[in-house]
Amino acid sequence: DIGMKGLGVQIIKNDFDLTQYLKSSFDNFLIQELINYPKEIGIFYCRIPGKTTGQITGIVSKDFLSVKGNGTASILQLINSNYRSFFQLRTLKKTYGKFLNTILQDGETFVLVPYGSHTRGSKFTDITDKATLELEQLIDTICQKIDGFYYGRLDIMYSTLEKLSKGEEFAIIEINGAGSEPTHIYDPSHSIFFAWKEIIKHWWLLYKVSSINFSKGHPYLNFNDGRRMLKANSVLEHKLKSLYL
């Protein structure tokens, strides 16, 4: 029941799928309602304690890993022809089996991985410039309803940015806290220097939030607890990868 890079996430369509997942699962997990909005976005938010409003510091659009048919090539051949899908081949073979021999019609799109995770093949595009005042006010209103939430990323399924900005046709599928990444840095058009700059910017904001909260009596995580957390995180990631690798 702890999210991590989309690992272990699976769409359950029927009782058989649930039974199979139960057999492979090693721990507690959450069952969430399937959200059918076609797009996913990650919005990073920060509010400095004491400030009346917060701000959007980054927006990433997530394009699910897909292939487009040409009428002659199989899904497997299409996967092999693209580096992004090729890196997911082992998992895709386990997921789809012989179905990968299917030939898609010319122009037909098939979504291979319907999860907005970079590590599972989604392409991330930086659309921070789409942060309108209307959208920022919506996200600020939502985040201020979460007691003690000052810094993190909201992953949202939605129909269009216009509808989302008006507070319509969207669902928050995940809230990430202090461990969040500003995932707009993974836009292929950005340089490593841009990524470093954004990470430093966000860690500075996190430092400001933490130090102010500390001055109000909220303790820091101590070294031993942090080390135990990192170790548990590594074990969990290894187990989650084993579910589908």
Side-chain angles (χ1 to χ4, degrees), residues 63-96:
D63 298 321
F64 302 137
L65 185 64
S66 309
V67 289
K68 181 177 288 188
N70 56 18
T72 58
S74 68
I75 295 176
L76 180 58
Q77 289 172 321
L78 294 170
I79 290 171
N80 283 325
S81 66
N82 181 278
Y83 78 92
R84 189 175 292 274
S85 56
F86 176 76
F87 281 123
Q88 302 291 325
L89 183 56
R90 182 180 175 185
T91 304
L92 295 172
K93 282 183 175 180
K94 184 175 181 179
T95 302
Y96 294 107

Side-chain angles (χ1 to χ4, degrees), residues 123-175:
K123 179 182 178 182
F124 284 11
T125 304
D126 184 357
I127 58 168
T128 304
D129 60 329
K130 304 293 184 182
T132 62
L133 179 60
E134 190 177 31
L135 179 60
E136 194 161 60
Q137 289 174 340
L138 171 70
I139 299 302
D140 187 44
T141 299
I142 292 171
C143 291
Q144 291 213 37
K145 290 182 179 179
I146 307 171
D147 186 36
F149 184 75
Y150 294 98
Y151 175 96
R153 192 186 71 248
L154 276 61
D155 291 333
I156 300 171
M157 300 291 290
Y158 69 106
S159 57
T160 66
L161 276 176
E162 291 73 24
K163 292 281 189 180
L164 172 60
S165 297
K166 294 177 181 178
E168 301 172 356
E169 298 181 10
F170 78 96
I172 299 170
I173 58 172
E174 189 175 327
I175 298 176

Side-chain angles (χ1 to χ4, degrees), residues 207-227:
Y207 163 74
K208 290 178 69 176
V209 169
S210 300
S211 59
I212 293 173
N213 282 334
F214 181 76
S215 70
K216 295 181 178 181
H218 299 284
Y220 294 130
L221 185 71
N222 65 50
F223 179 81
N224 287 332
D225 287 343
R227 186 170 59 179

Side-chain angles (χ1 to χ4, degrees), residues 24-57:
S24 63
S25 179
F26 57 86
D27 207 341
N28 296 332
F29 59 86
L30 298 176
I31 297 179
Q32 296 176 276
E33 178 185 0
L34 179 65
I35 306 301
N36 285 317
Y37 294 126
K39 301 177 182 180
E40 184 174 337
I41 197 173
I43 300 180
F44 213 104
Y45 167 87
C46 181
R47 179 167 67 91
I48 304 301
K51 299 289 186 180
T52 57
T53 59
Q55 62 178 328
I56 290 174
T57 60

Side-chain angles (χ1 to χ4, degrees), residues 225-237:
D225 287 343
R227 186 170 59 179
R228 280 192 290 269
M229 182 181 292
L230 284 173
K231 184 177 180 179
N233 182 82
S234 297
V235 172
L236 176 62
E237 184 171 359

